[in-house]
Amino acid sequence: MPARPSPSPADEPPQPAQAFDAVQRLREQVAGMLPKLPLATFPPVFVPEPNPETAILFILPRSKELLTSQDAQCLKYQTYLLFCYYPHRVVEHHEHHFSPSGQLPALLTTDGRLLAGNEIVDEARSKFDPEAKLSKEDRARMDAFAGLVESRLRFGLEYEFWYETDHFDQIVAPIAGAPYPWPLNFFLPRIERHRRIAWMLSKKPVLKTEEIFAETRQALQDLSTELGSQLYLMGSTPTFVDAALFAYLHTILSMLKSTQTESQLRNCVIDFDNLVKYSRRVWNTWSVMFI
């Protein structure tokens, strides 16, 4: 009886180490593709109306829990328009590309100008400037604290939402993917996650949890001390820094309230009682205009 030929190496089942290496190579190939996406960018499918009767602020959709935009940047500019009594209506949208900055929010004025970022601030101040009576020193202090909010609170929020896997999976990915069908609802949030992490790494080459939240806590301490028992950071009138601070505090306290994973960022905020009361007070004062 002829001997059975020995199996060739190609016929042998892969060993565990080989299978692991194959999976690792596949993951590396997929990860290498993400920076190349999107492969092509087409003109936006949405074009806003040319000259609306009332200015339109386009924001990312509201969440049921917040009754405000799920995005702190959108909420910041929406709040500032309210502080300036700027006449406008809010339209929820999920396409960023028609915005001049490539990111929402965007403000369409009655004369057809499409504005983003500081252009929205300047437009709002052209109607009513809540900082007009501030002294030169107070304005410089306001700018300094606004920079503190944007550098520390924003970084802490971005880190907990987009870098930490549990919060990304539980909160961010379902919200960011909601407007899209499968498989876009899976891939687009992860492409955006890659972009956000790249932004964080451009600020900090090494992301250390303890260091990030220590800086966030120190910023909250400084803001709490500055606020004291005042209505707003600069006194009795809300300013741009209040719009920014409220947007981040409200998002942190609301969206991280009922997650399965404990939120270090929310715990940091809760430790400062006057900041928690401040966030609630701003909401109670202006919420009727958000809804």
Side-chain angles (χ1 to χ4, degrees):
M1 186 175 192
R4 178 179 297 178
S6 59
S8 67
D11 296 328
E12 295 178 356
Q15 298 301 310
Q18 294 174 326
F20 178 79
D21 290 342
V23 172
Q24 283 294 99
R25 286 195 298 272
L26 179 60
R27 292 182 63 182
E28 291 170 0
Q29 290 171 0
V30 172
M33 291 175 59
L34 289 178
K36 301 176 183 179
L37 297 175
L39 299 178
T41 301
F42 294 92
V45 296
F46 172 75
V47 178
E49 57 186 287
N51 297 95
E53 292 184 5
T54 304
I56 302 173
L57 180 69
F58 295 95
I59 63 171
L60 288 170
R62 312 175 197 208
S63 68
K64 295 179 181 178
E65 295 80 7
L66 290 182
L67 300 177
T68 59
S69 176
Q70 62 210 3
D71 180 75
Q73 288 294 309
C74 289
L75 180 55
K76 176 179 71 175
Y77 288 102
Q78 183 183 5
T79 303
Y80 192 64
L81 289 181
L82 295 179
F83 288 170
C84 294
Y85 300 98
Y86 186 88
H88 69 285
R89 60 188 176 94
V90 173
V91 172
E92 296 178 18
H93 217 277
H94 64 268
E95 183 180 344
H96 291 274
H97 297 296
F98 73 91
S99 170
S101 67
Q103 294 291 319
L104 293 177
L107 178 69
L108 179 63
T109 64
T110 54
D111 58 0
R113 290 173 295 131
L114 195 58
L115 311 176
N118 289 333
E119 294 175 335
I120 297 177
V121 175
D122 293 339
E123 173 66 16
R125 286 174 177 165
S126 71
K127 303 297 182 184
F128 173 75
D129 185 355
E131 294 97 22
K133 295 183 179 180
L134 291 181
S135 66
K136 186 176 180 180
E137 293 76 14
D138 285 341
R139 187 178 287 272
R141 204 165 86 255
M142 179 195 74
D143 291 341
F145 279 105
L148 184 66
V149 170
E150 287 297 332
S151 63
R152 295 290 187 253
L153 266 62
R154 180 185 177 185
F155 200 99
L157 184 61
E158 293 274 317
Y159 180 83
E160 190 146 279
F161 270 8
W162 294 94
Y163 186 83
E164 292 191 343
T165 301
D166 287 346
H167 287 122
F168 174 78
D169 289 340
Q170 294 173 29
I171 301 174
V172 178
I175 291 176
Y180 306 100
W182 171 262
L184 293 178
N185 63 349
F186 177 84
F187 286 108
L188 291 181
R190 282 152 183 83
I191 292 171
E192 179 64 13
R193 185 188 193 194
H194 183 274
R195 188 186 72 82
R196 301 277 183 133
I197 292 176
W199 175 83
M200 285 183 261
L201 290 172
S202 72
K203 306 294 182 182
K204 286 182 178 291
V206 180
L207 300 176
K208 297 181 179 179
T209 303
E210 297 80 6
E211 177 184 308
I212 290 169
F213 287 120
E215 292 175 349
T216 303
R217 178 175 288 278
Q218 184 59 56
L220 290 167
Q221 176 67 69
D222 294 341
L223 290 161
S224 174
T225 302
E226 179 69 17
L227 177 63
S229 58
Q230 299 180 109
L231 286 177
Y232 300 101
L233 276 170
M234 306 308 298
S236 59
T237 302
T239 61
F240 182 70
V241 67
D242 292 291
L245 180 57
F246 166 72
Y248 287 110
L249 292 179
H250 184 70
T251 303
I252 292 166
L253 291 170
S254 302
M255 291 189 72
L256 293 168
K257 180 170 60 176
S258 57
T259 56
Q260 298 174 9
T261 304
E262 185 178 18
S263 168
Q264 293 187 58
L265 183 58
R266 190 172 188 274
N267 289 342
C268 286
V269 173
I270 289 175
D271 286 342
F272 298 95
D273 186 59
N274 66 334
L275 292 181
V276 175
K277 290 179 179 177
Y278 163 88
S279 179
R280 291 172 180 166
R281 183 170 61 249
V282 175
W283 171 253
N284 290 334
T285 303
W286 298 89
S287 61
V288 66
M289 299 185 187
F290 284 109
I291 303 172

